[in-house]
């Protein structure tokens, strides 16, 4: 990767960098593997001059100096080539002679990130390890008062509905009059969040699709995957596996030419259509696929020139109000599939979410609302957007669900929550907490990357170079020399493991509630938290 910066601070040294390379000269054989796999060229072979002081016994003569030259590993201090802590050097070293170490207390790199007048962009997540969801406890544990269930022996129906659910009287009237009934899909409550073909490598995408297909056809778990902005490979659009996909249309309309062309040849309808207005990785900003990743294949699918950055506008440019967006986008997408497919919008977590929801309630074609909280990640975003903008998902979801309850629509309009689900590894607990706060389903993307493909990124700004196409694992790279490191079949196998583990943990949580045939959506009396102000805000029990 070549730096385009025009300023190189001469004052930086290795101690100014958060990730520092520790190298053992005695065990290193100078094989060069570490320098060849470093995704950001943070280390290089260097020539060193070593001084040795030679002195006689009892200092009979004046000490003399001798010098020797040797080759070794040197860490670069230019901010454009700073170490990202991915640890690939340590993984390939046959002698364990090199490894990155984090020293966050000694860094001044943050003052040198903005170079050449350009603010820093990165992929990954916010530099914040805290999570309100991890503080929530499940406090309703049935023993003698309610019939608790055995999570290991009892059968559970952990399913949810995607689509507008009509009240019984309206549904019966529609059936009696042979009128139109909104499309509804039965899905698994954990969805794979929006990660586009282009953002992810071909091997990663293939592995996810194979894993989702196995979960559906062999294990009968109706797991769904959202395509993200960028369309799909043409062969997927014309296959029977399309029914496991949620097609996303965003403000850039990338990939939709291919989707429209494939409409007459589609063997199956997609599970749903998601209209993206915002995302948690960069609230208020559009999508961005940087030029590093726009190769010939991605350019062909998206209908753009090769090697150019692909920014999406912050919003759909032909829509200037909530009412217009709902009326035009949702109804036009519904018409394209003959009103057989649920259509819903996705927005960033914001105080205006309730205004969007209130408009959706009045539209009979709106199939739900997806909300992406501030902890969403992996998109190419400016640091200032990722770290300082957005609304926490727990409180935003709670506000929307309470609005639905006031309107009497809590059982009709599904809410899909995302943004930081499982950011600290507690996927099932976070998902269950959001379901009890009012979500019908949850979306997770970064956790899937970490668990199924071994993503190295973290909230400590480790790796997090998803945006520039040099992913050391090959997850988010479009370079075949890199993404060949990723085995699609192993990704599929690990994805199945992730969902089976999630299923077991979710049963362990809902079994004490005595729920086996339905999810405890909105069952907030089962939740507690040790933060008094958070308890008041979420309207759950305060427990210490």
């Amino acid at each position: 990767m070549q730096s385009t910066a025009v300023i190189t601070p001469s004052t930086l040294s290795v101690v100014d960098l958060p990730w520092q390379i520790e190298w053992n000269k005695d065990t290193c054989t100078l094989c060069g593997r570490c320098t060849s796999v470093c995704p950001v060229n943070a280390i290089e072979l260097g020539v060193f001059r070593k001084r040795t002081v030679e002195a006689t016994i009892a200092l009979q003569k004046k000490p003399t100096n001798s010098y020797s030259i040797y080759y070794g590993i040197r860490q670069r201090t230019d901010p454009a080539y700073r170490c990202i802590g991915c640890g690939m050097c340590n993984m390939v070293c046959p002698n364990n002679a090199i490894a990155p170490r984090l020293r966050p207390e000694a860094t001044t790199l943050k003052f040198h990130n903005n170079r050449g007048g350009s603010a820093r962009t990165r992929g990954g997540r916010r530099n914040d390890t805290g999570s309100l969801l991890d503080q929530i406890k499940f406090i309703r544990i049935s023993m003698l008062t309610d019939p608790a269930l055995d999570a290991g022996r009892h059968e559970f129906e952990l399913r949810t509905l995607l689509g507008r659910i009509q009240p019984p009287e309206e549904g019966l009237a529609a059936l009696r009059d042979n009128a139109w009934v909104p499309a509804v899909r039965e899905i698994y409550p954990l969805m794979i969040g929006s990660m586009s073909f282009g953002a992810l490598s071909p091997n990663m995408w293939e592995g996810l699709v194979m894993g989702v297909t196995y979960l559906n056809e062999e294990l009968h778990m109706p797991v769904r995957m959202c395509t993200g902005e960028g369309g799909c490979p043409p062969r997927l659009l014309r296959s029977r596996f399309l029914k496991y996909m949620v097609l996303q249309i965003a403000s850039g309309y990338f990939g939709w030419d291919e989707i429209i062309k494939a409409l007459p040849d589609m063997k199956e309808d997609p599970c749903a259509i998601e209209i993206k207005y915002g995302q948690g990785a960069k609230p208020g900003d559009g999508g961005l696929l940087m030029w590093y990743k726009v190769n010939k294949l991605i350019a062909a699918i998206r209908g753009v020139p090769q090697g150019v950055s692909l920014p999406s506008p912050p919003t759909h440019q032909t829509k200037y109000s909530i009412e217009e967006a709902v009326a035009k986008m949702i109804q036009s997408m519904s018409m394209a599939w003959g009103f057989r497919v649920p259509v819903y919008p996705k927005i960033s977590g914001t105080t205006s979410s309730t205004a969007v929801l209130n408009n959706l309630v009045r539209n009979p074609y709106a199939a739900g609302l997806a909300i992406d909280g501030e902890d969403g990640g992996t998109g190419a975003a400016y640091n200032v957007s990722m770290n300082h903008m957005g609304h926490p998902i727990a409180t935003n979801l709670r506000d929307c669900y309470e609005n639905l309850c006031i309107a009497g629509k809590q059982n009709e309009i599904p809410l899909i929550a995302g943004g930081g689900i499982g950011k600290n590894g507690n996927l099932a607990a976070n998902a269950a907490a959001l379901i009890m706060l009012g979500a019908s389903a949850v979306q997770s993307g970064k956790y899937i990357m970490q668990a199924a493909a071994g993503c190295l990124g973290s909230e400590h700004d480790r790796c997090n170079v998803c945006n520039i196409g040099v992913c050391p694992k090959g997850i988010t790279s479009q370079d075949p020399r890199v993404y060949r490191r990723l085995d699609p079949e192993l990704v599929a196998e690990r994805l199945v493991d992730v969902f089976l583990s999630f299923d077991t943990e979710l049963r362990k949580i809902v079994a004490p509630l005595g729920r086996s045939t339905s999810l405890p959506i909105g069952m907030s009396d089962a939740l507690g938290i040790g933060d008094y102000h958070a308890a008041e805000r979420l309207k759950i029990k305060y427990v210490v």
Side-chain angles (χ1 to χ4, degrees), residues 133 371-374 391-398 417-419 421 434:
L133 294 176
I371 308 172
D372 205 11
E374 65 175 352
H391 198 300
I393 184 58
T395 52
N396 208 195
L397 170 69
R398 193 63 177 153
I421 313 300
L434 287 171

Side-chain angles (χ1 to χ4, degrees), residues 418-438:
I421 313 300
K423 67 180 291 185
N424 293 322
N426 305 314
L427 181 64
N430 291 170
L434 287 171
I435 289 170
M436 295 180 196
L437 288 173

Side-chain angles (χ1 to χ4, degrees), residues 148-185:
L149 302 175
D150 190 320
R153 296 184 179 91
H154 202 90
E155 291 190 2
F156 291 79
E157 285 294 329
L158 301 179
R159 304 289 185 268
T160 190
L161 297 176
L162 175 60
R164 194 179 192 97
I165 305 156
Q166 289 183 318
E169 59 277 8
E170 292 183 16
L172 290 173
L175 292 174
R176 184 176 60 249
D177 300 336
N178 199 24
W180 172 75
V181 176
V184 178
R185 303 282 195 266

